[in-house]
Amino acid sequence: MKKHPCFQDVIGFNDRWLIIMGLPLASVLISFLLFSEAYTQQGIGFITVCIAMSFLHTAVFWFALRWVYIRAKIRYPRFEQIGMRMMWFLVAFFTIYFTVNKGLVFIFDSLSTRHADNDPNPLVSFISAFLMSALLIVIYEAMSFYIQLQRAAAEKAILERQNVESQLEGLRNQVNPHFLFNSLNTLIYLIPEDSDKAVRFVQQLSKVYRYILESRDSKLIPLSEELDFLKSYIFLLKERFGENLKVEIKDLEKKPDSAIVPLTLQMLFENAIKHNVISTGKPLHVEVYAENGHLVVRNNLQKKNQVMDSTGVGLQNIKDRYRMLTDKTVEVITSQQYFTVVLPAIEVREA
């Protein structure tokens, strides 16, 4: 059985004390506004009935509008959708007023001994009910907005801190001494064997580190630039692993408006190399391709028995950095055969 979310889960705060204190106060105030003149003419019995019926009237409006507001908030949760929530409030108010109000007036007539000239002014009754109902919704909306603002500020502070940590972690990973050491060893081997290839190797190594330095402070980079960098990075890896590392990049050049968080692809390649066996008998296959509006990076899974020390925050940092830019999430999928990371597409169109 599906469980409906409670008020606090949806709105962000518990309104128990608001109801306990506000409901009696609003009931007495509305009763005084509608029957203030009659109070001086009728006895205590009339006043008691007026306050009781006002309490019932206010309670029905309060809880009915409260229920409608929860449903509207679930359906239209964002601040910019406040217009839709207010439309729901207006429809609910008029529905409640012109249906429930008739029933309550009938009950009031049967319980009271008032005269017709004690009837409240219909216009005053409508306005007072509307103002009290509107005030209730404004209070809920203001409290919800304030709490969301506080949470957003706290989350932003956390994400900004994580973003700084992510940049430092990313930079540390990119300038990994092991990667640089292996690259220099490869270069030492190439110089006497193939000087032309050694020159190309140095050029690609320079291109990799220049991109790292230039892009580390950027929030987004065009996918085409990231792919150019990735090709240089793969060139260096292929010199190290040869045919034991197989990389396939499919049709990503056809997405000119796409952008990516800088160094994401490199970090995923580094992660795949760090955690998987790469050998002649077990080559590592890494695929990069677009699918259903997402960028997918997938490698065959052949875990090492022992891996290098890992901080465990690489993938989480990628997720956090994307959270600062889009509502879509980064998916990490592990199966018996593959390790897959699905990155949300971020479209950047020039004006």
Side-chain angles (χ1 to χ4, degrees):
M1 184 175 179
K2 187 177 179 179
K3 183 179 178 182
H4 293 289
C6 68
F7 183 90
Q8 185 169 354
D9 292 337
V10 177
I11 311 303
F13 69 98
N14 192 321
D15 66 334
R16 180 179 60 220
W17 285 106
L18 180 61
I19 294 173
I20 292 173
M21 299 177 65
L23 188 54
L25 181 62
S27 302
V28 173
L29 182 58
I30 291 176
S31 177
F32 179 77
L33 288 174
L34 297 180
F35 302 104
S36 57
E37 294 183 5
Y39 281 176
T40 61
Q41 302 172 5
Q42 302 294 329
I44 188 66
F46 175 82
I47 297 175
T48 302
V49 172
C50 283
I51 294 177
M53 292 307 300
S54 178
F55 183 88
L56 178 60
H57 186 276
T58 305
V60 170
F61 266 88
W62 189 307
F63 286 103
L65 289 173
R66 180 180 184 270
W67 184 87
V68 170
Y69 183 70
I70 293 175
R71 296 301 174 274
K73 191 73 172 176
I74 292 173
R75 188 163 186 174
Y76 306 105
R78 299 197 302 273
F79 176 75
E80 58 268 25
Q81 295 175 312
I82 187 173
M84 297 300 299
R85 295 197 294 273
M86 293 304 101
M87 186 180 71
W88 275 48
F89 158 69
L90 290 174
V91 172
F93 172 80
F94 284 108
T95 302
I96 296 167
Y97 186 84
F98 290 110
T99 56
V100 177
N101 198 53
K102 290 183 180 294
L104 294 177
V105 169
F106 175 78
I107 296 173
F108 186 87
D109 287 340
S110 64
L111 294 178
S112 67
T113 58
R114 62 181 174 81
H115 299 288
D117 55 3
N118 289 327
D119 285 342
N121 185 305
L123 181 60
V124 175
S125 178
F126 176 85
I127 292 175
S128 62
F130 181 82
L131 290 178
M132 285 296 177
S133 300
L135 178 61
L136 175 65
I137 297 301
V138 168
I139 291 174
Y140 280 150
E141 193 70 38
M143 290 293 293
S144 178
F145 175 74
Y146 175 78
I147 290 171
Q148 288 179 355
L149 195 63
Q150 293 293 100
R151 288 177 177 175
E155 184 178 22
K156 182 180 179 181
I158 292 173
L159 289 178
E160 286 178 347
R161 186 182 70 250
Q162 290 177 340
N163 187 47
V164 172
E165 294 173 353
S166 172
Q167 290 178 350
L168 293 175
E169 177 68 19
L171 183 60
R172 184 166 63 249
N173 285 340
Q174 313 323 313
V175 202
N176 190 317
H178 293 285
F179 172 72
L180 183 59
F181 177 76
N182 290 326
S183 297
L184 292 176
N185 276 343
T186 302
L187 181 60
I188 292 172
Y189 168 79
L190 286 175
I191 290 173
E193 296 291 330
D194 190 336
S195 58
D196 291 337
K197 182 176 284 190
V199 171
R200 292 198 302 273
F201 188 90
V202 171
Q203 290 172 340
Q204 298 301 321
L205 183 63
S206 173
K207 187 175 180 180
V208 164
Y209 277 89
R210 183 171 64 249
Y211 178 85
I212 290 170
L213 294 174
E214 291 177 351
S215 67
R216 67 173 187 250
D217 294 326
S218 302
K219 292 183 178 180
L220 278 177
I221 287 291
L223 179 59
S224 58
E225 294 185 18
E226 182 82 2
L227 290 176
D228 286 341
F229 155 74
L230 184 64
K231 290 174 182 177
S232 298
Y233 182 71
I234 292 172
F235 178 89
L236 302 179
L237 294 177
K238 294 284 286 183
E239 286 301 322
R240 175 184 170 191
F241 294 105
E243 292 304 312
N244 296 337
L245 175 64
K246 300 182 182 297
V247 179
E248 186 176 3
I249 301 176
K250 303 178 184 177
D251 299 329
L252 294 182
E253 290 81 359
K254 298 179 181 179
K255 302 178 72 63
D257 298 325
S258 294
I260 190 172
V261 172
L263 304 174
T264 297
L265 296 180
Q266 189 276 337
M267 292 180 72
L268 294 177
F269 267 73
E270 184 74 22
N271 188 67
I273 291 170
K274 182 190 297 184
H275 294 283
N276 290 278
V277 173
I278 306 177
S279 65
T280 304
K282 290 185 175 182
L284 180 66
H285 297 261
V286 184
E287 300 173 88
V288 185
Y289 58 93
E291 184 177 73
N292 298 327
H294 294 78
L295 182 63
V296 182
V297 181
R298 184 177 74 171
N299 64 269
N300 57 321
L301 199 59
Q302 42 196 33
K303 290 184 178 180
K304 294 179 180 178
N305 293 328
Q306 293 182 344
V307 299
M308 292 184 294
D309 292 338
S310 174
T311 61
V313 297
L315 288 174
Q316 188 60 47
N317 280 338
I318 292 175
K319 292 180 181 179
D320 291 338
R321 292 166 74 187
Y322 269 92
R323 282 179 61 199
M324 296 182 70
L325 301 170
T326 177
D327 293 333
K328 300 176 183 178
T329 58
V330 174
E331 296 182 61
V332 178
I333 305 168
T334 304
S335 66
Q336 291 184 345
Q337 291 182 305
Y338 296 105
F339 181 83
T340 307
V341 178
V342 183
L343 303 171
I346 300 178
E347 301 295 327
V348 178
R349 298 184 181 275
E350 295 183 0

